[in-house]
């Protein structure tokens, strides 16, 4: 496929802070159309360099009447109109479009939140597949409303309370929805259907990097499931109204990334890959190995924070199934000595990230002595959600993140790091990485492994990880919990499950004696990509059995609790 043709079909989302923005990206990718999301306040040059065919203005928590409300760049409307770019405003995006084009937005007499009926008034444009009078249930979330439309616009749907629900100016290719069409479906509904862009990494890569520079961000949390016909509307808009082609598939992503790697890494360059034993870094390593062969040198670091027998298990997989060149470095004493006495979770992450880089630098030095040439690159399995959660909320006025968690592969790398980064997966969600892994022949059981955090058990032991036998306890509890889940046949139904060590003791009775032992927590969640999550509802019999196993087999534990908190308001990992 010609890169220019591919580039012309990009759907670009300008994020104005909606908790549902990342869902738009995922929904569009589910339609085999590539989409990217950058800050709504990005410079016009960042938008035009990507040459999108469609631009979607996301929702957001702001009011267009606020002095500090975010807006698209000056000149955006003229650029879109003169270049025939289709523009769709959603919720706040609709109101912003109306206001900037000369219409009027004011506080609604009746605010609309939650499920709401809308009725089609004109069967044209975005509702061209509907009949006048057709009704559907949608998800509303707004206090302001479009009171007077700009010249050229017409109302095509209204809510049951009479508020504007959809507008369009077909001549200028401007459209707007006051509700969230991306909120259709359930977490599993698009789980296995994702297709991602062919040639995107080469044709769009450099421009995308430019778009990310400065104060650019991505959409963040949220999952709603209340616009049953939303995907039908979005699909009709993209394919029938905008004429977007659905031609993106993961095989092309693989070919494109191999080409990018070969264009980046000189024929005599060597590359180090930091293997964690997880799906992301393993797929990244397998992809780079396919591109440059034995010039890839993988290093697996035992930092003393691994799960039960993790080192032995992953090294066997690397050697037997993936045939990757991997060196195992035992640095457990180095990591744990630096973590002694540290209880702050953010400090733990930064210490661990720094020590990883020190090890990679030392490994690179050893390779230099062996090869006569120092490796120039470091491969990491950074994913799209990693980048999203390390960026500031749009319209926050901040130039860097109100961090949810620092990922050592996006936010914790030292400025003076000598190795240049290769991150072949940074535009992909977790399910997309698994799909790529299948194409690369990574064993299915390995691809289905639950995510494991880069800092390891340091974020699953609250407090000082070196105090007492906390690490031993959480390893044993986690092993019992995970094996019980596998034995019950529900492992693949859970996105992530793990045990947490709490630095508190409770009174119990074991063996007819009073005990004063530790409390552990079990957590299991369902999710698409970790951006949002809900707790998994176990059968009572399962919980009873696993609790008994833990208390009977792990010395030092007399109480087992279950975390039943969704994300948001919590995160997935405990810290």
């Amino acid at each position: 496929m010609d890169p220019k043709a591919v580039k012309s079909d990009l759907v670009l989302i300008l994020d104005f802070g909606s908790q549902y923005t990342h869902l738009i990206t995922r929904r569009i990718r589910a339609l085999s159309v590539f989409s990217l999301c950058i800050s709504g306040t990005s410079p016009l040059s960042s938008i035009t360099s990507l040459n999108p065919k469609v631009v979607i203005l996301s929702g957001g928590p702001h009011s267009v009447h606020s002095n500090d409300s975010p807006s698209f760049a000056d000149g955006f409307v003229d650029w879109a109109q003169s270049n025939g770019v289709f523009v769709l405003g959603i919720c706040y995006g609709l109101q912003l479009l109306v206001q900037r084009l000369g219409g009027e937005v004011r506080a609604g007499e009746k605010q609309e939140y939650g499920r709401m009926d809308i009725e089609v008034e004109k069967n044209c444009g975005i509702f061209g597949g509907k009949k006048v009078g057709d009704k559907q249930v949608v998800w509303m979330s707004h206090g302001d409303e479009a009171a007077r439309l700009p010249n050229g616009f017409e109302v095509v749907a209204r809510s049951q309370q009479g508020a504007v629900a959809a507008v369009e100016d077909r001549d200028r290719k401007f459209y707007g929805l006051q509700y969230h069409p991306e909120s259709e479906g359930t977490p599993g509904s698009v789980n296995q259907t994702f297709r991602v862009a062919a040639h995107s990494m080469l044709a769009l890569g450099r421009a995308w990097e430019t778009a990310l520079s400065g104060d650019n961000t991505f959409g963040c949390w949220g999952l709603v499931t209340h616009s049953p016909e939303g995907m039908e509307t979005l699909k009709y808009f993209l394919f029938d109204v905008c004429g977007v082609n659905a031609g993106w598939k993961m095989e092309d992503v693989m070919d494109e990334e191999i080409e990018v790697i070969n264009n980046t890494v000189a024929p005599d360059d060597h590359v180090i890959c930091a293997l964690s034993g997880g799906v992301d870094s393993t797929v990244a390593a397998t992809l780079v190995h396919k591109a440059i062969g034995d010039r890839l040198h993988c290093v697996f670091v035992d930092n003393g924070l691994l799960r039960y027998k993790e080192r032995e298990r992953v090294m066997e997989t690397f050697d037997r199934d993936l045939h990757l060149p991997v060196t195992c470095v035992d640095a457990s004493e180095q990591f744990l000595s630096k973590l002694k006495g540290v209880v702050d979770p953010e400090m733990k992450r930064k210490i661990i990230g720094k020590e990883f880089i020190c090890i990679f630098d030392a490994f690179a030095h050893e390779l230099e002595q062996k090869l006569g040439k120092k490796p120039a690159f470091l491969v990491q399995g950074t994913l799209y959600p990693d980048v999203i959660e390390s960026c500031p909320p749009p319209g926050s006025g901040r130039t860097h993140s109100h961090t949810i968690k620092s990922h050592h592969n996006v936010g914790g790398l030292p400025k003076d790091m000598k190795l240049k980064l290769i991150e072949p997966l940074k535009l992909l969600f977790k399910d997309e990485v698994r799909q790529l892994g299948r194409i690369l022949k990574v064993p299915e059981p390995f691809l289905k492994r639950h995510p494991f955090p880069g800092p390891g058990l340091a974020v699953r032991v609250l407090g000082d990880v070196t105090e007492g036998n906390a690490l031993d306890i959480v390893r044993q509890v986690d092993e019992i919990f995970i094996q019980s889940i596998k034995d019950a046949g529900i492992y693949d139904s859970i996105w992530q499950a793990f045990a947490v060590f709490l630095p508190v003791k409770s009174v119990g009775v074991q063996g007819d004696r009073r005990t004063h032992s530790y409390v552990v927590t079990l957590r299991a969640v369902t999710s698409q990509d970790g951006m949002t999550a809900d707790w998994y509802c176990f059968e009572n019999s399962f919980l009873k059995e696993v609790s008994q196993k833990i208390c009977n087999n792990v010395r030092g534990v007399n109480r087992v609790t279950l975390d039943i908190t969704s994300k948001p308001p919590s995160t997935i990992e405990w810290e």
Side-chain angles (χ1 to χ4, degrees):
M1 186 178 294
D2 180 71
K4 292 183 179 179
V6 170
K7 191 173 181 181
S8 68
D9 276 330
L10 169 69
V11 176
L12 182 66
I13 296 95
L14 297 187
D15 175 22
F16 292 104
S18 170
Q19 59 180 323
Y20 311 133
T21 300
H22 81 282
L23 282 180
I24 307 174
T25 309
R26 293 184 65 85
R27 298 298 193 226
I28 294 172
R29 291 188 183 190
L31 297 173
S32 298
V33 175
F34 189 64
S35 61
L36 285 177
C37 180
I38 64 174
S39 172
T41 58
S42 296
L44 184 60
S45 59
S46 297
I47 299 171
T48 59
S49 65
L50 293 169
N51 192 29
K53 184 164 188 173
V54 180
V55 174
I56 295 179
L57 312 177
S58 86
H62 315 279
S63 169
V64 294
H65 300 297
S66 300
N67 293 330
D68 59 350
S69 61
S71 178
F72 46 71
D74 291 338
F76 169 77
V77 170
D78 291 338
W79 166 80
Q81 187 174 347
S82 61
N83 287 274
V85 177
F86 291 85
V87 178
L88 172 64
I90 295 177
C91 200
Y92 175 81
L94 176 150
Q95 296 166 11
L96 185 60
L97 196 61
V98 167
Q99 185 201 54
R100 291 292 298 270
L101 288 173
E104 180 185 356
V105 176
R106 65 188 179 201
E109 295 182 2
K110 296 181 180 180
Q111 297 182 338
E112 296 179 322
Y113 298 104
R115 291 181 178 88
M116 184 76 63
D117 281 342
I118 66 168
E119 182 175 333
V120 174
E121 290 191 352
K122 294 181 181 295
N123 59 337
C124 56
I126 200 167
F127 284 121
K130 301 290 184 181
K131 297 178 181 178
V132 174
D134 280 355
K135 296 181 179 180
Q136 60 179 286
V137 177
V138 301
W139 182 257
M140 291 283 197
S141 182
H142 67 99
D144 292 346
E145 64 177 89
R148 179 175 54 82
L149 298 182
N151 292 335
F153 276 81
E154 58 183 339
V155 178
V156 294
R158 291 186 183 274
S159 73
Q160 64 187 29
Q161 298 185 144
V164 172
V167 300
E168 61 183 47
D169 179 343
R170 278 172 289 166
D171 291 338
R172 288 190 285 181
K173 301 181 179 179
F174 294 153
Y175 300 82
L177 297 173
Q178 189 56 71
Y179 63 91
H180 291 274
E182 73 275 18
S183 63
E184 181 226 54
T186 62
S189 64
V190 295
N191 218 25
Q192 303 299 327
T193 61
F194 282 24
R195 302 290 178 110
V196 188
H199 298 287
S200 60
M201 309 310 175
L202 182 61
L204 297 173
R206 290 184 178 85
W208 183 77
E209 292 288 355
T210 301
L212 289 184
S213 63
D215 184 20
N216 292 317
T217 66
F218 299 79
C220 210
W221 313 276
L223 180 63
V224 286
T225 57
H226 308 304
S227 294
E229 297 182 57
M231 275 300 286
E232 180 185 337
T233 300
L234 192 58
K235 183 177 179 180
Y236 186 88
F237 173 70
L238 292 176
F239 298 141
D240 294 85
V241 176
C242 303
V244 171
N245 295 311
W248 312 101
K249 53 185 184 293
M250 194 59 67
E251 289 82 359
D252 294 322
V253 172
M254 180 185 70
D255 293 340
E256 179 58 29
E257 275 305 300
I258 290 173
E259 184 177 353
V260 169
I261 293 165
N262 284 324
N263 287 338
T264 303
V265 180
D268 60 342
D269 277 342
H270 288 258
V271 177
I272 291 175
C273 182
L275 276 178
S276 68
V279 174
D280 308 331
S281 64
T282 299
V283 172
T286 305
L287 181 64
V288 175
H289 188 243
K290 185 177 179 66
I292 66 172
D294 59 7
R295 289 185 290 129
L296 173 69
H297 308 272
C298 299
V299 55
F300 175 77
V301 180
D302 183 350
N303 60 2
L305 302 166
L306 302 178
R307 290 170 290 193
Y308 183 78
K309 292 187 177 181
E310 178 79 351
R311 175 176 169 178
E312 297 87 346
R313 290 169 177 172
V314 298
M315 287 299 293
E316 181 181 3
T317 298
F318 292 150
D319 179 56
R320 181 192 62 202
D321 298 323
L322 300 175
H323 310 296
L324 290 173
V326 184
T327 298
C328 181
V329 176
D330 187 349
S332 54
E333 185 176 341
Q334 176 179 337
F335 277 84
L336 295 179
S337 64
K338 293 293 178 65
L339 289 169
K340 186 173 180 60
V342 179
V343 298
D344 179 73
E346 189 66 12
M347 184 60 66
K348 288 181 186 179
R349 288 182 176 271
K350 291 187 181 300
I351 290 172
I352 291 168
K354 183 178 179 180
E355 292 307 308
F356 268 124
I357 297 302
C358 289
I359 289 172
F360 300 149
D361 279 341
F363 183 67
H365 181 71
E366 292 177 7
L367 277 178
E368 182 181 13
Q369 302 302 312
K370 177 181 177 181
L371 303 170
K373 180 179 177 63
K374 189 171 184 177
F377 297 91
L378 172 66
V379 177
Q380 291 196 133
T382 308
L383 300 190
Y384 208 19
D386 294 338
V387 180
I388 291 171
E389 288 200 335
S390 298
C391 291
S396 66
R398 288 190 294 269
T399 57
H400 42 265
S401 175
H402 181 183
T403 307
I404 298 174
K405 53 188 175 185
S406 293
H407 302 267
H408 66 266
N409 54 347
V410 289
L413 296 174
K415 295 180 180 179
D416 60 349
M417 188 181 75
K418 301 177 180 65
L419 299 171
K420 290 175 284 188
L421 281 179
I422 294 177
E423 298 172 298
L425 311 178
K426 68 180 177 182
L427 294 186
L428 305 183
F429 291 98
K430 175 70 75 172
D431 288 341
E432 297 168 336
V433 171
R434 288 192 170 110
Q435 185 181 350
L436 179 60
R438 292 184 184 98
I439 297 170
L440 291 167
K441 308 299 183 185
V442 176
E444 191 69 21
F446 197 90
L447 290 175
K448 290 183 176 180
R449 297 189 81 199
H450 292 176
F452 187 62
L457 297 180
V459 294
R460 295 182 180 175
V461 172
L462 273 63
D464 186 349
V465 299
T466 68
E467 189 173 305
N469 61 340
L471 286 171
D472 290 336
I473 288 176
V474 77
R475 283 191 184 103
Q476 294 177 62
V477 173
D478 188 78
E479 178 70 8
I480 291 172
F481 184 37
I482 298 301
Q483 190 57 53
S484 297
I485 288 173
K486 290 179 178 178
D487 293 342
I490 56 177
Y491 184 83
D492 292 344
S493 300
I494 298 172
W495 192 80
Q496 187 183 41
F498 55 89
V500 178
F501 176 90
L502 302 181
V504 294
K505 289 185 175 182
S506 68
V507 173
V509 179
Q510 291 173 298
D512 294 327
R513 298 193 321 180
R514 182 181 185 274
T515 61
H516 192 226
S517 299
Y518 286 107
V519 179
V520 294
T521 291
L522 307 180
R523 181 149 172 78
V525 298
T526 57
S527 181
Q528 288 181 338
D529 52 28
M531 295 298 297
T532 59
D534 201 0
W535 59 280
Y536 183 83
C537 188
F538 290 104
E539 296 288 339
N540 288 341
S541 58
F542 172 87
L543 293 174
K544 179 179 179 180
E545 182 179 349
V546 77
S547 176
Q548 289 175 339
K549 285 182 180 178
I550 291 170
C551 291
N552 290 340
N553 291 280
V554 181
R555 185 178 297 275
V557 175
N558 68 0
R559 194 175 299 273
V560 179
T561 63
L562 179 68
D563 182 347
I564 57 170
T565 317
S566 64
K567 176 188 177 181
S570 74
T571 61
I572 291 180
E573 298 291 345
W574 278 65
E575 299 184 65

